[in-house]
């Protein structure tokens, strides 16, 4: 005897697949004290930047026997506004601790910039970071056509930022992709804010308080090179045997236009 089942949909709910974009923190050390110091140093430049973001912990760069004080790490991440929800990679002991902490196993989860170069740590003066946050792929640009005053902050989430007016001292321009300032840049410029090491910073008059790409930064406490100071210039990140460093180069606009 055959039986039929009603295909009528419930009126009170629906069940559908959903994709949740995650920030990914790839751990390179289980030392929570070191992680805390370096994470606070990095996030201090962009306070509130990751507020309320769901987070994927990636243990794949750790030895499977590395002990991670996960409760302390999760408390630290939540203090910084992050919401740890899942993990991937790691050994059996790490997996058991993650499960006990209520994290979801997400072995197939991928950050949107997994194929991009790794995010780097602040090189001046902070030590190399053990954790990295990977970036989403930038899409269309956010265009700002007004001057930015001290205390103002603009963030181009998941895309490039184009500013057509002056960025005054005390102002901040932040982008997950590139930053273009077609005016004097006198405040802070943070490109590749979620780890895009290919991001660049461009300005028609280079006079910043700070520039940063994928966490590698330099401040005006060290005088800017004469060849770029108050000139058209761009900044990029270069990796080499000695680590990551920012390269600043003048833009010869006249010869390019010829």
């Amino acid at each position: 005897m055959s039986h039929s089942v009603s295909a009528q949909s419930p009126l009170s709910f629906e069940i559908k697949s959903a994709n949740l974009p995650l920030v990914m923190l790839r751990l390179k050390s289980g030392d929570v004290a070191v992680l805390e110091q370096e994470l606070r140093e990095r996030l201090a430049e962009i306070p509130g930047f990751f507020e309320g973001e769901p987070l994927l912990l990636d243990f794949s760069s750790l030895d499977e026997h590395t002990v991670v004080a996960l409760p302390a790490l999760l408390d630290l991440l939540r203090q910084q506004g992050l919401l740890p929800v899942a993990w991937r990679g790691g050994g059996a002991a790490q997996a058991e601790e993650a499960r006990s902490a209520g994290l979801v196993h997400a072995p197939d989860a991928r950050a949107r910039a997994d194929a991009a170069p790794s995010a780097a740590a602040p090189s001046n003066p902070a030590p190399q970071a053990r954790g990295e946050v990977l970036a989403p792929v930038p899409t269309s640009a956010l265009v700002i056509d007004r001057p930015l005053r001290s205390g103002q902050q603009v963030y181009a989430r998941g895309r490039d930022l184009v500013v057509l007016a002056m960025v005054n001292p005390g102002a901040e321009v932040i982008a997950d992709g590139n930053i273009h300032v077609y005016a004097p840049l006198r405040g802070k410029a943070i490109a590749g804010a979620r780890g895009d090491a290919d991001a660049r910073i461009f300005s028609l008059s280079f006079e910043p308080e700070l520039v940063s790409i994928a966490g590698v930064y330099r401040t005006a406490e060290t005088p800017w090179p004469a060849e770029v100071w108050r000139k058209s210039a761009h900044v990029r990140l270069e990796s080499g045997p000695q680590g990551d460093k920012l390269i600043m180069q003048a833009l010869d606009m006249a010869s390019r236009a010829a």
Side-chain angles (χ1 to χ4, degrees), residues 22 24 56 88 106-111 114:
L22 298 174
M24 186 176 77
L56 171 72
R88 75 175 188 182
D108 298 324
R110 293 290 182 270
D114 264 2

Side-chain angles (χ1 to χ4, degrees), residues 89-213:
Q94 295 157 351
E96 180 59 31
E97 191 169 8
R99 287 192 187 94
S100 299
L103 300 181
V104 176
H105 190 206
D108 298 324
R110 293 290 182 270
R112 281 179 281 178
D114 264 2
S118 297
S123 61
N124 180 20
Q128 184 174 358
R130 271 87 170 163
E132 61 189 72
V133 181
L134 301 182
V137 178
T139 56
S140 59
L142 171 65
V143 179
I144 303 297
D145 58 5
R146 66 182 187 280
L148 296 177
R149 302 186 301 275
S150 177
Q152 291 185 311
Q153 181 189 86
V154 173
Y155 169 35
R157 186 185 187 91
R159 52 182 171 168
D160 292 352
L161 175 62
V162 176
V163 185
L164 303 178
M166 183 185 301
V167 179
N168 282 287
E172 295 182 357
V173 287
I174 305 171
D176 290 344
N178 304 300
I179 293 176
H180 304 257
V181 181
Y182 296 107
L185 169 58
R186 295 173 180 167
K188 297 179 180 180
I190 301 168
R194 296 201 176 197
D196 183 2
D198 290 329
R200 299 195 181 197
I201 298 170
F202 302 84
S203 175
L204 289 185
S205 184
F206 189 78
E207 313 167 38
E209 297 173 312
L210 174 147
V211 290
S212 172
I213 297 177

Side-chain angles (χ1 to χ4, degrees), residues 12 16 38 54 107 118 209 230 256:
S12 60
K16 294 184 177 182
E38 296 182 347
S118 297
E209 297 173 312
R230 291 184 174 175
R256 292 174 184 271

